[in-house]
Protein backbone atom coordinates (compact mmCIF):
# COMPACT_ATOMS: atom_id res chain seq x y z
CA UNK A 1 0.00 0.00 0.00
CA UNK A 2 1.01 3.60 -0.59
CA UNK A 3 2.95 5.82 1.82
CA UNK A 4 1.78 9.41 2.25
CA UNK A 5 3.45 12.33 3.94
CA UNK A 6 0.85 14.62 5.51
CA UNK A 7 1.58 17.96 7.18
CA UNK A 8 -0.38 19.25 10.15
CA UNK A 9 0.07 22.96 10.78
CA UNK A 10 -1.64 25.84 12.57
CA UNK A 11 -0.95 28.31 15.38
CA UNK A 12 0.64 27.53 18.72
CA UNK A 13 -1.83 25.73 20.97
CA UNK A 14 -4.20 24.60 18.19
CA UNK A 15 -3.59 20.95 19.06
CA UNK A 16 -1.17 19.70 16.38
CA UNK A 17 0.92 17.60 18.76
CA UNK A 18 -2.19 16.30 20.53
CA UNK A 19 -3.81 15.32 17.21
CA UNK A 20 -0.75 13.31 16.15
CA UNK A 21 -0.51 11.69 19.59
CA UNK A 22 -4.20 10.78 19.36
CA UNK A 23 -3.82 8.74 16.16
CA UNK A 24 -0.20 7.61 15.93
CA UNK A 25 0.50 3.88 16.05
CA UNK A 26 4.14 4.52 16.97
CA UNK A 27 5.57 6.58 19.84
CA UNK A 28 5.46 10.18 18.64
CA UNK A 29 8.78 11.90 17.97
CA UNK A 30 8.43 15.23 19.69
CA UNK A 31 10.58 18.36 19.81
CA UNK A 32 8.71 20.15 22.57
CA UNK A 33 10.67 22.55 24.77
CA UNK A 34 9.71 24.93 27.58
CA UNK A 35 7.49 27.76 26.34
CA UNK A 36 8.87 31.13 27.46
CA UNK A 37 6.31 33.18 25.47
CA UNK A 38 3.50 32.86 27.97
CA UNK A 39 1.91 36.06 26.61
CA UNK A 40 1.26 34.22 23.33
CA UNK A 41 -0.05 31.06 24.97
CA UNK A 42 -0.13 29.80 28.56
CA UNK A 43 0.84 26.23 27.76
CA UNK A 44 3.98 24.82 29.34
CA UNK A 45 5.73 23.51 26.24
CA UNK A 46 5.87 24.26 22.54
CA UNK A 47 7.04 22.39 19.43
CA UNK A 48 10.12 24.00 17.86
CA UNK A 49 11.05 21.62 15.01
CA UNK A 50 8.43 18.95 14.30
CA UNK A 51 6.28 16.13 15.61
CA UNK A 52 6.23 12.80 13.83
CA UNK A 53 3.76 9.95 14.00
CA UNK A 54 2.42 7.16 11.80
CA UNK A 55 -1.07 5.87 11.05
CA UNK A 56 -2.46 3.12 8.83
CA UNK A 57 -5.86 3.89 7.33
CA UNK A 58 -8.63 1.34 6.77
CA UNK A 59 -7.63 0.76 3.13
CA UNK A 60 -4.06 -0.03 4.18
CA UNK A 61 -2.58 3.30 3.16
CA UNK A 62 0.19 4.34 5.51
CA UNK A 63 0.39 7.94 6.67
CA UNK A 64 3.49 9.66 7.96
CA UNK A 65 2.23 12.62 9.94
CA UNK A 66 4.46 15.66 10.42
CA UNK A 67 3.38 18.42 12.81
CA UNK A 68 4.98 21.83 12.31
CA UNK A 69 5.86 24.47 14.89
CA UNK A 70 3.07 27.03 15.06
CA UNK A 71 4.95 30.29 15.45
CA UNK A 72 5.91 32.25 12.36
CA UNK A 73 9.53 32.57 13.45
CA UNK A 74 9.80 28.86 12.65
CA UNK A 75 8.54 29.28 9.09
CA UNK A 76 11.83 27.85 7.79
CA UNK A 77 10.64 24.53 9.24
CA UNK A 78 7.32 24.91 7.37
CA UNK A 79 9.22 25.01 4.07
CA UNK A 80 11.47 22.08 5.01
CA UNK A 81 8.59 19.90 6.17
CA UNK A 82 6.35 20.75 3.18
CA UNK A 83 8.83 19.22 0.72
CA UNK A 84 7.39 16.03 -0.73
CA UNK A 85 4.15 16.29 1.24
CA UNK A 86 0.93 15.00 -0.32
CA UNK A 87 -1.60 16.96 1.72
CA UNK A 88 -2.14 19.54 4.43
CA UNK A 89 -4.27 19.77 7.56
CA UNK A 90 -4.60 23.25 9.10
CA UNK A 91 -5.78 23.29 12.71
CA UNK A 92 -7.10 26.61 13.99
CA UNK A 93 -7.52 27.44 17.69
CA UNK A 94 -10.96 29.07 17.91
CA UNK A 95 -10.12 30.63 21.28
CA UNK A 96 -7.37 32.84 19.85
CA UNK A 97 -8.19 36.56 19.52
CA UNK A 98 -7.95 36.72 15.70
CA UNK A 99 -8.62 33.11 14.79
CA UNK A 100 -10.07 33.76 11.33
CA UNK A 101 -7.25 36.12 10.39
CA UNK A 102 -4.71 33.55 11.63
CA UNK A 103 -5.92 31.16 8.96
CA UNK A 104 -4.59 33.43 6.20
CA UNK A 105 -1.03 33.07 7.57
CA UNK A 106 -1.07 29.31 7.01
CA UNK A 107 -2.97 29.40 3.70
CA UNK A 108 -0.46 31.96 2.39
CA UNK A 109 2.65 30.14 3.58
CA UNK A 110 1.50 26.74 2.35
CA UNK A 111 -0.12 28.08 -0.86
CA UNK A 112 2.15 26.04 -3.13
CA UNK A 113 1.50 22.78 -1.28
CA UNK A 114 -2.25 23.46 -1.24
CA UNK A 115 -2.28 24.22 -4.96
CA UNK A 116 -0.37 21.02 -5.73
CA UNK A 117 -2.27 18.74 -3.32
CA UNK A 118 -5.18 19.62 -1.02
CA UNK A 119 -6.11 21.01 2.37
CA UNK A 120 -8.67 20.43 5.11
CA UNK A 121 -9.21 22.90 7.94
CA UNK A 122 -10.01 21.71 11.46
CA UNK A 123 -11.33 24.17 14.05
CA UNK A 124 -10.39 23.27 17.62
CA UNK A 125 -11.42 24.51 21.08
CA UNK A 126 -14.91 25.55 20.00
CA UNK A 127 -15.96 24.31 23.44
CA UNK A 128 -13.84 27.12 24.93
CA UNK A 129 -15.03 29.77 22.45
CA UNK A 130 -18.01 29.24 20.16
CA UNK A 131 -17.13 32.37 18.17
CA UNK A 132 -16.07 32.83 15.44
CA UNK A 133 -18.48 30.39 13.81
CA UNK A 134 -17.66 27.94 11.05
CA UNK A 135 -19.53 30.27 8.72
CA UNK A 136 -17.06 33.05 9.60
CA UNK A 137 -14.22 30.82 8.35
CA UNK A 138 -16.19 29.89 5.21
CA UNK A 139 -16.81 33.59 4.55
CA UNK A 140 -13.09 34.30 4.86
CA UNK A 141 -12.34 31.53 2.34
CA UNK A 142 -14.95 32.90 -0.07
CA UNK A 143 -13.19 36.27 0.09
CA UNK A 144 -10.02 34.45 -1.01
CA UNK A 145 -12.02 32.85 -3.82
CA UNK A 146 -11.49 29.28 -2.57
CA UNK A 147 -13.60 26.52 -1.04
CA UNK A 148 -12.00 24.09 1.41
CA UNK A 149 -13.62 21.66 3.86
CA UNK A 150 -13.86 23.08 7.38
CA UNK A 151 -14.93 21.03 10.39
CA UNK A 152 -14.92 21.43 14.14
CA UNK A 153 -13.18 18.70 16.09
CA UNK A 154 -11.73 17.65 19.42
CA UNK A 155 -8.14 16.65 18.64
CA UNK A 156 -7.98 14.48 21.77
CA UNK A 157 -10.44 12.08 20.14
CA UNK A 158 -8.80 9.69 17.71
CA UNK A 159 -11.97 9.14 15.67
CA UNK A 160 -12.39 12.86 15.02
CA UNK A 161 -8.79 13.23 13.83
CA UNK A 162 -9.21 10.17 11.59
CA UNK A 163 -12.33 11.75 10.03
CA UNK A 164 -10.26 14.85 9.26
CA UNK A 165 -7.59 12.71 7.58
CA UNK A 166 -10.20 10.69 5.68
CA UNK A 167 -11.70 13.92 4.38
CA UNK A 168 -8.28 15.03 3.16
CA UNK A 169 -7.87 11.70 1.40
CA UNK A 170 -11.24 12.01 -0.30
CA UNK A 171 -10.14 15.37 -1.71
CA UNK A 172 -6.81 14.01 -2.90
CA UNK A 173 -8.47 11.03 -4.56
CA UNK A 174 -11.08 13.25 -6.21
CA UNK A 175 -8.30 15.48 -7.55
CA UNK A 176 -6.51 12.44 -9.03
CA UNK A 177 -9.66 11.05 -10.66
CA UNK B 1 14.05 34.65 33.74
CA UNK B 2 16.63 36.11 36.15
CA UNK B 3 17.04 39.89 35.70
CA UNK B 4 20.76 39.56 35.04
CA UNK B 5 20.55 36.67 32.57
CA UNK B 6 20.99 38.90 29.52
CA UNK B 7 23.97 40.73 31.03
CA UNK B 8 25.71 37.55 32.12
CA UNK B 9 25.25 35.93 28.72
CA UNK B 10 26.37 39.06 26.88
CA UNK B 11 29.52 39.31 29.01
CA UNK B 12 30.63 35.76 28.23
CA UNK B 13 29.62 35.99 24.57
CA UNK B 14 31.83 39.06 24.20
CA UNK B 15 34.69 37.24 25.95
CA UNK B 16 34.26 34.26 23.63
CA UNK B 17 34.30 36.50 20.56
CA UNK B 18 37.35 38.44 21.75
CA UNK B 19 39.30 35.21 22.30
CA UNK B 20 38.16 33.65 19.02
CA UNK B 21 38.23 36.23 16.22
CA UNK B 22 37.14 33.62 13.65
CA UNK B 23 33.64 33.75 15.17
CA UNK B 24 31.33 35.86 13.00
CA UNK B 25 28.11 35.47 14.98
CA UNK B 26 27.24 34.07 18.40
CA UNK B 27 23.81 34.01 20.02
CA UNK B 28 22.53 32.79 23.36
CA UNK B 29 18.88 31.82 22.97
CA UNK B 30 16.10 30.33 25.04
CA UNK B 31 15.28 26.73 24.19
CA UNK B 32 12.19 27.97 22.31
CA UNK B 33 14.19 30.34 20.13
CA UNK B 34 14.23 33.84 21.61
CA UNK B 35 17.55 35.71 21.71
CA UNK B 36 18.99 36.48 25.14
CA UNK B 37 22.36 37.88 24.00
CA UNK B 38 23.91 38.53 20.59
CA UNK B 39 27.46 39.07 19.29
CA UNK B 40 27.44 39.85 15.61
CA UNK B 41 30.22 40.64 13.12
CA UNK B 42 28.47 39.19 10.05
CA UNK B 43 25.15 39.85 8.37
CA UNK B 44 23.27 36.84 9.71
CA UNK B 45 19.75 37.42 11.07
CA UNK B 46 20.19 36.65 14.76
CA UNK B 47 16.43 36.20 15.22
CA UNK B 48 16.39 33.51 12.54
CA UNK B 49 19.57 31.96 13.91
CA UNK B 50 17.97 31.76 17.38
CA UNK B 51 14.87 30.01 16.02
CA UNK B 52 16.93 27.63 13.88
CA UNK B 53 19.20 26.81 16.82
CA UNK B 54 16.15 25.96 18.89
CA UNK B 55 14.80 23.66 16.16
CA UNK B 56 18.14 22.00 15.40
CA UNK B 57 18.96 21.32 19.02
CA UNK B 58 15.46 19.96 19.66
CA UNK B 59 15.88 17.64 16.65
CA UNK B 60 19.25 16.55 18.03
CA UNK B 61 17.60 15.85 21.35
CA UNK B 62 14.83 13.85 19.65
CA UNK B 63 17.43 11.81 17.72
CA UNK B 64 19.36 11.16 20.91
CA UNK B 65 16.15 9.89 22.50
CA UNK B 66 15.32 7.66 19.52
CA UNK B 67 18.87 6.27 19.60
CA UNK B 68 18.51 5.34 23.30
CA UNK B 69 21.29 7.77 24.12
CA UNK B 70 20.78 10.51 26.70
CA UNK B 71 21.22 14.27 26.99
CA UNK B 72 22.03 15.95 23.67
CA UNK B 73 24.82 18.40 24.42
CA UNK B 74 25.91 19.76 21.04
CA UNK B 75 24.88 19.79 17.41
CA UNK B 76 27.74 20.46 14.96
CA UNK B 77 27.39 21.57 11.34
CA UNK B 78 30.55 21.41 9.23
CA UNK B 79 30.34 23.48 6.05
CA UNK B 80 32.89 24.01 3.30
CA UNK B 81 33.70 27.51 4.50
CA UNK B 82 33.13 27.26 8.23
CA UNK B 83 31.35 25.69 11.16
CA UNK B 84 28.17 26.14 13.18
CA UNK B 85 28.02 24.81 16.72
CA UNK B 86 24.87 24.67 18.83
CA UNK B 87 25.42 23.82 22.49
CA UNK B 88 23.15 23.41 25.50
CA UNK B 89 24.17 25.57 28.44
CA UNK B 90 24.12 23.02 31.27
CA UNK B 91 22.21 23.33 34.55
CA UNK B 92 20.40 26.56 33.74
CA UNK B 93 16.77 26.44 34.77
CA UNK B 94 15.55 28.55 31.84
CA UNK B 95 17.06 26.15 29.29
CA UNK B 96 19.57 28.20 27.29
CA UNK B 97 21.42 27.35 24.07
CA UNK B 98 24.58 28.85 22.59
CA UNK B 99 24.92 29.07 18.81
CA UNK B 100 28.27 29.99 17.25
CA UNK B 101 29.16 30.57 13.59
CA UNK B 102 32.85 30.70 12.65
CA UNK B 103 34.90 30.65 9.47
CA UNK B 104 37.10 27.70 8.52
CA UNK B 105 40.30 29.24 9.88
CA UNK B 106 39.50 27.86 13.33
CA UNK B 107 39.31 24.11 13.88
CA UNK B 108 36.08 22.58 15.15
CA UNK B 109 37.96 21.23 18.16
CA UNK B 110 39.22 24.62 19.23
CA UNK B 111 35.86 26.27 18.57
CA UNK B 112 34.08 23.58 20.55
CA UNK B 113 36.49 23.93 23.46
CA UNK B 114 36.06 27.74 23.55
CA UNK B 115 32.26 27.48 23.21
CA UNK B 116 31.99 24.89 25.98
CA UNK B 117 34.08 27.12 28.19
CA UNK B 118 31.65 29.99 27.50
CA UNK B 119 28.70 27.73 28.39
CA UNK B 120 30.41 26.65 31.59
CA UNK B 121 30.97 30.27 32.66
CA UNK B 122 27.31 31.13 32.02
CA UNK B 123 26.27 28.01 33.89
CA UNK B 124 28.51 28.84 36.84
CA UNK B 125 26.78 32.21 37.27
CA UNK B 126 23.21 31.29 36.39
CA UNK B 127 23.11 27.59 37.22
CA UNK B 128 20.61 26.20 39.67
Amino acid sequence: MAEYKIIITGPMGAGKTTAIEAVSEVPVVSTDVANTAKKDHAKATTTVAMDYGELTLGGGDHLRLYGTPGQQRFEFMWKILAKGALGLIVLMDNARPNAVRDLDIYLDNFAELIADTGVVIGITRMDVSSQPSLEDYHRSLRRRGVVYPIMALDVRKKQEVVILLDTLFSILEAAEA
Amino acid sequence: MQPNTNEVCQKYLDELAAATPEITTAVVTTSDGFEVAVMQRGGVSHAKLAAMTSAMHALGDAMVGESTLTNCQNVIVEAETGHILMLAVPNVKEGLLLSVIADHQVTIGRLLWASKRCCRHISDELGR
Side-chain angles (χ1 to χ4, degrees):
Chain A
M1 284 296 164
E3 296 270 352
Y4 296 97
K5 176 182 178 180
I6 303 296
I7 305 299
I8 301 182
T9 194
M12 181 184 186
K16 303 177 292 295
T17 303
T18 305
I20 293 175
E21 285 173 344
V23 298
S24 180
E25 297 157 348
V26 300
V28 172
V29 175
S30 161
T31 58
D32 277 16
V33 301
N35 169 34
T36 66
K38 290 290 196 299
K39 64 179 182 352
D40 295 334
H41 203 289
K43 66 182 199 161
T45 62
T46 185
T47 301
V48 293
M50 64 174 212
D51 299 309
Y52 174 83
E54 296 177 15
L55 172 68
T56 309
L57 291 180
D61 290 326
H62 192 238
L63 307 188
R64 298 179 181 214
L65 304 171
Y66 289 77
T68 74
Q71 303 93 319
Q72 203 154 7
R73 69 179 184 281
F74 292 109
E75 65 176 330
F76 61 91
M77 283 304 303
W78 300 352
K79 294 183 177 75
I80 291 169
L81 293 173
K83 282 180 189 164
L86 291 175
L88 180 71
I89 301 276
V90 182
L91 294 179
M92 300 306 302
D93 175 358
N94 213 48
R96 281 175 67 89
N98 296 304
V100 175
R101 215 182 311 157
D102 283 350
L103 179 58
D104 286 330
I105 295 170
Y106 300 93
L107 296 181
D108 289 343
N109 277 277
F110 288 93
E112 200 174 322
L113 176 62
I114 294 169
D116 291 345
T117 62
V119 63
V120 172
I121 298 159
I123 311 299
T124 68
R125 303 183 76 207
M126 288 198 91
D127 55 329
V128 177
S129 172
S130 61
Q131 294 299 320
S133 66
L134 294 185
E135 177 52 29
D136 292 326
Y137 289 98
H138 282 296
R139 198 176 301 122
S140 173
L141 291 185
R142 283 198 293 274
R143 276 198 294 271
R144 293 177 71 97
V146 294
V147 178
Y148 302 136
I150 301 176
M151 57 185 74
L153 81 159
D154 183 339
V155 289
R156 294 165 296 186
K157 295 180 178 168
K158 177 177 179 177
Q159 199 51 41
E160 298 192 15
V161 180
V162 170
I163 290 171
L164 201 67
L165 290 164
D166 277 338
T167 306
L168 177 62
F169 261 72
S170 303
I171 292 169
L172 299 178
E173 282 171 359
E176 276 179 20
Chain B
M1 184 156 293
Q2 297 290 321
N4 64 348
T5 296
N6 301 61
E7 289 173 20
V8 168
C9 292
Q10 193 64 56
K11 179 175 73 175
Y12 289 116
L13 263 197
D14 291 341
E15 273 188 24
L16 170 66
T20 318
E22 297 87 355
I23 293 175
T24 55
T25 304
V27 174
V28 176
T29 170
T30 60
S31 57
D32 61 341
F34 290 107
E35 311 97 291
V36 173
V38 175
M39 191 298 299
Q40 195 158 23
R41 295 182 182 124
V44 178
S45 160
H46 50 78
K48 198 178 274 187
L49 180 63
M52 287 181 156
T53 298
S54 162
M56 287 289 284
H57 200 276
L59 274 178
D61 218 22
M63 288 189 75
V64 162
E66 289 297 309
S67 313
T68 65
L69 303 174
T70 55
N71 190 14
C72 175
Q73 296 177 343
N74 321 310
V75 175
I76 298 176
V77 176
E78 186 175 4
E80 190 177 325
T81 51
H83 326 291
I84 307 172
L85 307 188
M86 290 154 275
L87 304 89
V89 179
N91 303 318
V92 176
K93 195 177 70 177
E94 297 93 334
L96 297 176
L97 303 169
L98 168 65
S99 185
V100 177
I101 302 178
D103 65 38
H104 66 283
Q105 293 175 61
V106 62
T107 63
I108 286 182
R110 185 163 161 265
L111 187 64
L112 185 59
W113 176 83
S115 302
K116 280 188 171 181
R117 190 163 175 269
C118 176
C119 287
R120 199 166 55 246
H121 284 151
I122 294 171
S123 178
D124 286 347
E125 284 208 33
L126 299 179
R128 343 174 222 225

